[in-house]
Amino acid sequence: MDSLQYLYGGTSHWPAFAISSQYSDTGDYGAMNVLFRGTSIAFFGITPWPKCSQYFVVSIDGGEQYNAFFQDPTPPSRQQLYQTPLLEDTQHIITLTRIPGLAFEYAVITAGQDTPLENQRLIVDDGDIALINYAGNWNRNDARFVIKFKRDIEGYHYGNATHDTSTSGSSATVTFSGSSRSL
């Protein structure tokens, strides 16, 4: 679907059976387990249509279940859907149930001191001035963007902003150790 071109990797996953033809809940919901190592995990994607349920149920490491609400005043929109509280830097399993018709795009794991990073994909936020050196005339842009999909869906970039420039000669330098990078 070229209409999902703004999504990371060009696509997304959602429980299509959870959305009726009138864009409301069907009464069937999705579920998933995610195994990760780190101190936190955050899920990003597109919130459900307004007539759909606006939360899912979370359990961390088999603990007590609780509801995670999207806090989206104008659904559907692209945003961070949920983030765990700070956890120990060990392996965790997060269980999401009662997943309504939302679209999961990607997850971000926060690494701790002991989290192995070799052969892992890392994200550097454009606002991290400790890792990115901007030279020239750069502006922070926190405007939402629009995804064309059945109707316009507004969204935020990772970290809720980007940096842009229209000044010739401006540059940005990212210092990293690794085998490749992607912008």
Side-chain angles (χ1 to χ4, degrees), residues 20-106:
S20 75
S21 60
Q22 289 80 37
Y23 300 106
S24 61
D25 283 348
T26 63
D28 294 322
Y29 299 99
M32 71 179 192
N33 293 315
V34 178
L35 182 68
F36 72 98
R37 179 174 177 125
T39 59
S40 182
I41 188 169
F43 296 97
F44 294 80
I46 299 174
T47 59
W49 297 91
K51 293 180 186 176
C52 291
S53 177
Q54 296 296 308
Y55 72 94
F56 54 77
V57 178
V58 178
S59 175
I60 302 170
D61 297 328
E64 187 174 334
Q65 294 183 344
Y66 60 93
N67 296 337
F69 292 88
F70 304 123
Q71 308 297 323
D72 185 359
T74 58
S77 62
R78 182 181 188 245
Q79 65 179 39
Q80 180 174 307
L81 301 170
Y82 169 78
Q83 182 169 2
T84 65
L86 187 62
L87 305 168
E88 289 185 39
D89 189 9
T90 61
Q91 185 169 291
H92 301 280
I93 186 162
I94 183 165
T95 301
L96 306 179
T97 57
R98 200 186 179 287
I99 299 172
L102 60 84
F104 284 108
E105 186 178 356
Y106 62 94

